[in-house]
Amino acid sequence: MTTDPEVLIAGGGPVGLFSALLLGRQGVKVRLFDINASLQRDPRAATTHPATLEVLSAVDGLVEDMAKVGLVAPIFQFWDRPSGRLIAEFDHALLASETRFPYVIQCEQFKTSQLLLERVLKVPSVEVLFQHEVLSVEQTSSGVSVSVKGLDGIHTHNGRYLIGADGGRSITRKQCKIPFEGFTWDERFIVLTTPFDFLEHRGYCYRSYFADPDEWCNCFKVAADGPPGLWRTVFPTDPALSEAELMSDEAVQARLQKFFPAEQPYEIVHRNLYTTHQRVAETFRAGRIILAGDSAHLNNPIGGMGLNGGLQDAGNLCEKLIEILLNGANDRLLDLYSLQRRTVAIDFVQEQSIANKRRLEAKDEETRQRNFDQLSALAADPEKARDFLLRSSMILAQRRVAGLSLEAA
Ligand SMILES: Cc1cc2nc3c(=O)[nH]c(=O)nc-3n(C[C@H](O)[C@H](O)[C@H](O)COP(=O)(O)OP(=O)(O)OC[C@H]3O[C@@H](n4cnc5c(N)ncnc54)[C@H](O)[C@@H]3O)c2cc1C
């Protein structure tokens, strides 16, 4: 490419790649930098909600390909672990009149990224530069410039806008001095992945949430490299214990056996321990620099909304950047982006992910029973269940913020 790109993107995770694809296929010149040599395969997000499938469906065949390499999961369940009681079951089929996608797709994040990257590499106006680390960012009234360390040294790259899709520790956000407001949970979360078939042996569906006053759990299935697939379990851990204590073979076996007693030891194919935050950037826009995805917001994974919010950010932002770059729209549209997406992050994702955690970890028996009664009542009434699903599937959030305007803010 001989002329400067119009949009620079820091970060080639799913949010950066989806942004590059949306812009590039409209002919916008894009240059994307990622510090890694290739896509990362660590087990992270998998649940892709109906509202996000709607956004991804802007790219022909993408959702269909995700369903092929993932699992279609219309149902999720809430269980009480101590009593083994199924409290509530929700079926996305109730959303059939609301969305073309009345189900979630369990598609591992690295597969979604791979599907995006394959498409991005076919777009002539997009350059993807792996092994390129964004070191610093600057801007003037007419453009941005980014200092990037590649294999042949440090170079400056210029563009009209920069998207900071460089994850939770975003250098873009830090360089812009945008506060990342919120808090970090004391307990780390542990993810243990096993081929043990929880559906066959226990009757748990592909997305199951377990309330327990001692130790809650999420258990969900991913397709992995093909049938029979793998099951991921997520638990909170004791903040007083070290990583070595939590991750030893003995400790992870004991944890799974305590929760789901089985005759044989569990085969564990992945184990990960990670710190969880609830944070939202004070603004998603600083002049010509815009944040999207984890660089703008972080939340606990209960309910599976983090990446979903990021992909929705990319859809919203790129629509506006295309209007600005190709149709001469006023760049105040980027303020609207910030308003809309911060509203989703704060009023929906933060609020719900914290409520989801509180519901699973409730200790007091009266509160637990009240939670269970509420969930059972919701599940038993199709209209209430549909309203609940509209929220959990993020459709309600998308609809609410579509109506926001800067004038009303
Ligand atoms: C265990 C776990 C389970 C999760 N489950 C779910 C779930 O079920 N559903 C859900 O929606 N979300 C889930 N999440 C959250 C989800 O993984 C993140 O929201 C998602 O990764 C965000 O994508 P992103 O593209 O914004 O950032 P990232 O995926 O973090 O990508 C950022 C990219 O930027 C690159 N980068 C960073 N700094 C630089 C730099 N200076 N220069 C160049 N490149 C840089 C990195 O290499 C990386 O490739 C989960 C997270 C974890 C940890």
Side-chain angles (χ1 to χ4, degrees), residues 11 15 34-36 44-45 109 132 134 166 274 294 304 306-308:
V15 173
D34 197 281
I35 191 171
N36 294 318
R44 295 176 72 182
Q109 180 168 329
H132 279 71
V134 173
D166 45 352
Y274 64 98
D294 274 19
L307 175 57
N308 281 275

Side-chain angles (χ1 to χ4, degrees), residues 35 77-78 99 103 153-155 216 235 240 282 289 327 378:
I35 191 171
Q77 298 173 332
F78 285 94
T99 172
Y103 43 78
I154 297 175
H155 296 282
W216 53 263
F235 301 90
E282 192 181 77
I289 301 174
N327 299 327
L378 284 176

